[in-house]
Amino acid sequence: MLARAARGTGALLLRGSVRAGGRAPRRASSGLPRNTVVLFVPQQEAWVVERMGRFHRILEPGLNILIPVLDRIRYVQSLKEIVINVPEQSAVTLDNVTLQIDGVLYLRIMDPYKASYGVEDPEYAVTQLAQTTMRSELGKLSLDKVFRERESLNANIVDAINQAADCWGIRCLRYEIKDIHVPPRVKESMQMQVEAERRKRATVLESEGTRESAINVAEGKKQAQILASEAEKAEQINQAAGEASAVLAKAKAKAEAIRILATALTQHNGDAAASLTVAEQYVSAFSKLAKDSNTILLPSNPSDVTSMVAQAMGVYGALTKTPVPGAQDSSRSNRDAQGTDASLDEEFDRVKLS
């Protein structure tokens, strides 16, 4: 009996769910095997058994035993994922554009009992439901949103199919739109719109580039002026600092020279050295007379160097309030110096009158 059952089941072709005496649906699954008492059910298939015309049970994969004549295999359902091509159909968008659209539907039978007794042809029912749902969802969107919101459109169609197909024991896993065909005139308008949008973006980008270039040039000039002014400021500061340092150095040098000169004057024969220096400066100044200007002032006795030196030493002694050594011995020189001053005053008055 086991060998006969094996031969009976091995000779059958698995082609789809077929009702006894009915038409074969398009969905691929096993054909209807005969009741050979001992049956072997393949994996991922569910065999629906009726006893005396009434649902009895669903055979699980593996070894199963049925009663001849009383038990009959009524439906064979495939539990694998099924792919269905949704035929092309027309749909009108929210902005009254007619589209030709098709898709692919992926589903799986979750309850063999409901799939067998809940609907006459599950595949045909799900296909029609997918088409009507697609038209309904496309009518809610404009043409531009149809292309942008493809994923949300697919998700909405899957949710709508699952809500309606729950009582059929079928679950829609996903829905994908394959092709969207737009009328030729609408396609031309879309191409023109795309070209205009690209030209617009190119113009905007060019203007932005020009603006950025002008801003960069102005910013560069500003930074150059700032750097130039800072450089000039630093140069003036450095120059002032250098001049101040030079003045300070000159003052320190002059103070040091005066200090050294004062120390030298306090030493032995310091007055003689001072007299010699004054005489040298007088001779040097006398040699430069009438070189820079035609108007000159001369003392009454310009060749008397001794009287000039005595007069300078007298001024120095009066400023320091220190008696000058040898001043009594040179009383004649002092009288000559006083005469020289009077002569200088007369000469100055004469030059003014002339």
Side-chain angles (χ1 to χ4, degrees):
M1 181 176 291
L2 293 175
R4 186 178 62 183
R7 286 195 301 270
T9 56
L12 296 176
L13 297 176
L14 303 180
R15 295 179 180 177
S17 295
V18 181
R19 292 190 57 181
R23 62 183 179 86
R26 287 168 292 179
R27 178 172 47 83
S29 60
S30 298
L32 291 179
R34 293 179 299 174
N35 184 0
T36 55
V37 182
V38 177
L39 299 175
F40 296 96
V41 179
Q43 185 67 33
Q44 288 298 98
E45 286 192 2
W47 292 6
V48 180
V49 177
E50 291 182 354
R51 177 168 291 179
M52 293 182 294
R54 186 176 181 181
F55 173 76
H56 177 56
R57 68 190 178 99
I58 298 175
L59 300 183
E60 299 294 335
L63 178 63
N64 293 274
I65 299 176
L66 299 179
I67 299 175
V69 182
L70 297 181
D71 294 338
R72 182 181 179 183
I73 301 173
R74 190 69 170 179
Y75 299 98
V76 175
Q77 303 291 352
S78 175
L79 302 181
K80 299 178 182 179
E81 187 173 343
I82 303 170
V83 181
I84 301 175
N85 289 321
V86 180
E88 187 179 31
Q89 61 176 340
S90 62
V92 181
T93 61
L94 184 62
D95 49 357
N96 297 324
V97 178
T98 302
L99 302 177
Q100 298 293 329
I101 188 168
D102 56 359
V104 181
L105 186 64
Y106 300 85
L107 55 86
R108 176 177 292 171
I109 295 177
M110 308 301 295
D111 190 344
Y113 175 81
K114 291 183 179 181
S116 301
Y117 297 100
V119 64
E120 179 68 22
D121 190 344
E123 179 180 338
Y124 179 76
V126 171
T127 303
Q128 295 299 314
L129 181 60
Q131 289 181 337
T132 56
T133 306
M134 186 192 305
R135 283 193 293 266
S136 175
E137 293 296 330
L138 285 175
K140 300 176 183 178
L141 301 174
S142 61
L143 180 60
D144 295 335
K145 290 185 178 180
V146 169
F147 295 98
R148 290 200 302 264
E149 300 183 4
R150 228 177 193 185
E151 294 183 0
S152 61
L153 181 62
N154 295 335
N156 293 337
I157 294 175
V158 170
D159 293 338
I161 292 175
N162 286 331
Q163 291 177 5
D166 184 58
C167 59
W168 301 339
I170 300 174
R171 180 174 181 80
C172 180
L173 301 179
R174 57 191 177 276
Y175 179 86
E176 297 293 339
I177 297 176
K178 289 199 303 183
D179 297 320
I180 299 177
H181 300 285
V182 183
R185 292 185 178 180
V186 177
K187 186 180 294 185
E188 293 177 0
S189 301
M190 292 174 63
Q191 291 178 354
M192 294 175 61
Q193 181 180 359
V194 171
E195 292 178 359
E197 186 68 24
R198 288 178 179 175
R199 287 195 297 268
K200 174 185 174 182
R201 284 185 292 180
T203 305
V204 171
L205 291 176
E206 183 178 0
S207 63
E208 289 181 354
T210 304
R211 181 173 63 87
E212 292 293 334
S213 176
I215 291 174
N216 292 336
V217 171
E219 188 68 23
K221 292 181 178 179
K222 175 183 175 182
Q223 293 295 331
Q225 292 179 357
I226 292 175
L227 293 176
S229 62
E230 290 181 353
E232 185 178 359
K233 175 183 176 182
E235 182 181 1
Q236 292 178 357
I237 291 174
N238 293 334
Q239 184 177 0
E243 292 177 356
S245 300
V247 171
L248 182 61
K250 290 180 180 179
K252 290 182 178 179
K254 190 172 182 179
E256 184 67 18
I258 293 173
R259 184 182 63 80
I260 295 173
L261 181 60
T263 303
L265 290 175
T266 57
Q267 294 178 0
H268 182 67
N269 295 327
D271 293 337
S275 300
L276 177 61
T277 301
V278 171
E280 290 177 353
Q281 291 180 356
Y282 177 78
V283 172
S284 176
F286 187 78
S287 64
K288 296 180 180 179
L289 291 176
K291 287 186 177 182
D292 297 334
S293 176
N294 294 328
T295 303
I296 57 175
L297 297 177
L298 294 175
S300 59
N301 190 10
S303 60
D304 190 359
V305 180
T306 305
S307 61
M308 295 299 298
V309 171
Q311 183 180 0
M313 295 305 295
V315 173
Y316 170 73
L319 292 176
T320 56
K321 296 181 180 180
T322 303
V324 180
Q328 294 179 357
D329 297 334
S330 58
S331 58
R332 179 176 173 276
S333 298
N334 289 337
R335 285 193 302 272
D336 293 340
Q338 291 177 359
T340 301
D341 291 339
S343 299
L344 285 174
D345 292 339
E346 291 177 358
E347 187 68 22
F348 180 74
D349 293 338
R350 185 181 60 80
V351 170
K352 288 175 66 178
L353 291 175
S354 62

